Amino acid sequence: MLRRLSIIALTAALAASTVTPATAQGGKPVDHDKPLGAAYGALGANFNQNLDALDYRELRESHTGWVRGFFPMPATDEGDPAAHFAIRTITETAERGFDTILSLKFPYGGAHFPEPGSAAMAAELARLDKVLPAVLGKVDVLTIGNEPFIESLPAERDERLNAFYETVARHVIDYRREHCGTGCRTTLYMGALNRLDLADRRTPAAERWMAFVRETPEIEGVDIHPHIPAPQNAQAFLDYILPRMRDDQTFLVTEFSLVWYWQRHLEDPVSDEFAGRYGFAPGTPVWQVIKAAIDEPFSRRQWDDFLASCPWFTSQAGFLRDQMRLYRGTGRLAVATYGFKQDDLMVKDFGPDKAPWLLNSVFAPYTVKSRGDGLSGRGYWLDDFRALQKR
């Protein structure tokens, strides 16, 4: 049972409304008598690999009660997983009264999947046996996988991928039953599926993935990552997963964005009005303005003026609100988490071909000047993110 449930959306009719977390302000655990498998419709903060950048003041400022990140399984070989910053931070965050999601990342993009029964698989399961005691009964959601159809060799995105993740999932299920009991607070999801808006991603392996989710009682549902080139593309994800799940299952959206739409506009010229006001040459491309903000962070006013001067950006100003309305409107959303904070990988070697993940962020420490006392500059999405927490 979930002891720290932040947000409740009881029906599909209420799913499109906004909600307030019960724990984000005071950090006090709240007892509830429903498992996470019900459709709560929460919106939380996603940190990916950057849980060490978490600042509780910024979580409180955003009014969120949910935090998500991932743990790379090879890090288990470097020492006690409980001491790794990702697991240490996520469990401390849970202890402070926030609800938490941890995805287990299996990066096989440069190596073959181990076969079930092999020594390599035994080694992978031994890693799990080190990680699971540190997180089971502490985090609210454990997602088995991060982005399996990306973090794998293209040639092995077939039954070999399925066999690996199914073996891992059964091991996690057995371990949870034996060591955490039937009342374990940690629920299990399989994740995450990408680019289901593209027909060539709806493969036999994706079908088998969904069949395993549906046919495994201990799995609460599936995670999706709709990073998309247009807002309407998100519907294809829902059209694919919902008919393939049990009626009692829900879904996570632990990452979502318009990053591929933003990228198409990096070489657009910035407006003459903005260029003239802030000393850029006429026709300066958008990516060079972003690079200038990375090199010397803008004031919040200048950053806001830059985004407001870009019609391709302002035309999508309702993206966060509209996407949450779509997901909540299904009556099946458990939790969605949105990119919370710019990180160093987003700004490294920034240029016209770089995916502009930094435009998604709720807080913008790399392109907006600090507000002092270590507080990050505010990004464009904070007001909508905060409003979406309210009932």
Side-chain angles (χ1 to χ4, degrees), residues 115-331:
E115 296 181 6
S118 67
M121 181 61 84
E124 193 67 81
L125 299 182
R127 284 173 170 169
L128 276 172
D129 288 343
K130 295 178 181 179
V131 171
L132 294 175
V135 297
L136 285 178
K138 299 176 183 179
V139 301
D140 296 294
V141 178
L142 188 67
T143 304
I144 300 165
N146 180 52
E147 293 181 335
F149 288 87
I150 293 177
E151 296 159 355
S152 54
L153 296 171
E156 295 192 1
R157 293 167 190 170
D158 54 20
E159 66 275 2
R160 287 167 287 187
L161 180 151
N162 297 115
F164 172 78
Y165 279 96
E166 289 167 14
T167 300
V168 167
R170 292 190 182 99
H171 190 84
V172 173
I173 290 166
D174 290 344
Y175 192 100
R176 184 182 66 161
R177 181 176 57 250
E178 294 171 11
H179 298 277
C180 200
T182 56
C184 186
R185 67 173 287 172
T186 304
T187 58
L188 305 178
Y189 285 75
M190 297 292 291
L193 300 180
N194 298 79
R195 292 314 305 267
L196 291 173
D197 53 320
L198 301 177
D200 64 359
R201 304 298 177 92
R202 301 190 289 271
T203 63
E207 288 286 345
R208 176 169 165 177
W209 183 277
M210 292 305 305
F212 180 79
V213 168
R214 180 178 63 252
E215 296 165 6
T216 307
E218 297 87 355
I219 300 297
E220 297 288 346
V222 69
D223 189 8
I224 55 175
H225 286 179
H227 296 299
I228 48 180
Q232 60 268 25
N233 288 40
Q235 184 63 51
F237 285 74
L238 304 178
D239 292 344
Y240 187 81
I241 66 168
L242 292 177
R244 291 169 173 80
M245 296 197 300
R246 301 189 310 268
D247 289 344
D248 66 322
Q249 288 179 310
T250 56
F251 65 96
L252 304 172
V253 189
T254 55
E255 297 181 28
F256 63 105
S257 78
L258 274 177
V259 66
W260 308 125
Y261 171 82
W262 308 140
Q263 189 171 43
R264 292 205 306 264
H265 294 279
L266 288 182
E267 297 198 68
D268 289 7
V270 73
S271 76
D272 290 343
E273 190 277 334
F274 176 84
R277 180 185 302 179
Y278 289 104
F280 289 91
T284 299
V286 163
W287 74 265
Q288 287 188 7
V289 175
I290 295 174
K291 181 66 165 57
I294 294 169
D295 292 342
E296 186 174 346
F298 291 175
S299 67
R300 182 185 170 196
R301 171 70 179 272
Q302 184 176 353
W303 183 248
D304 286 349
D305 285 349
F306 162 58
L307 295 176
S309 75
C310 298
W312 52 268
F313 189 89
T314 58
S315 69
Q316 303 300 333
F319 173 75
L320 191 55
R321 297 189 302 272
D322 294 343
Q323 292 292 290
M324 287 304 297
R325 185 180 302 112
L326 174 67
Y327 302 139
R328 287 171 171 169
T330 66

Side-chain angles (χ1 to χ4, degrees), residues 46-123:
N46 174 40
F47 287 87
N48 279 343
Q49 74 276 12
N50 293 291
L51 281 163
D52 54 342
L54 185 150
D55 187 308
Y56 293 106
R57 297 169 299 174
E58 292 166 358
L59 291 180
R60 288 192 294 271
E61 184 179 3
S62 71
H63 298 174
T64 187
W66 281 89
V67 172
R68 181 259 179 179
F70 64 65
F71 174 74
M73 290 299 294
T76 307
D77 301 336
E78 301 169 4
D80 181 6
H84 187 276
F85 72 85
I87 291 179
R88 186 179 68 248
T89 301
I90 204 75
T91 54
E92 177 187 304
T93 301
E95 290 169 359
R96 286 174 175 250
F98 293 86
D99 298 300
T100 52
I101 302 172
L102 182 68
S103 300
L104 300 181
K105 179 184 177 80
F106 298 88
Y108 275 93
H112 296 292
F113 282 121
E115 296 181 6
S118 67
M121 181 61 84

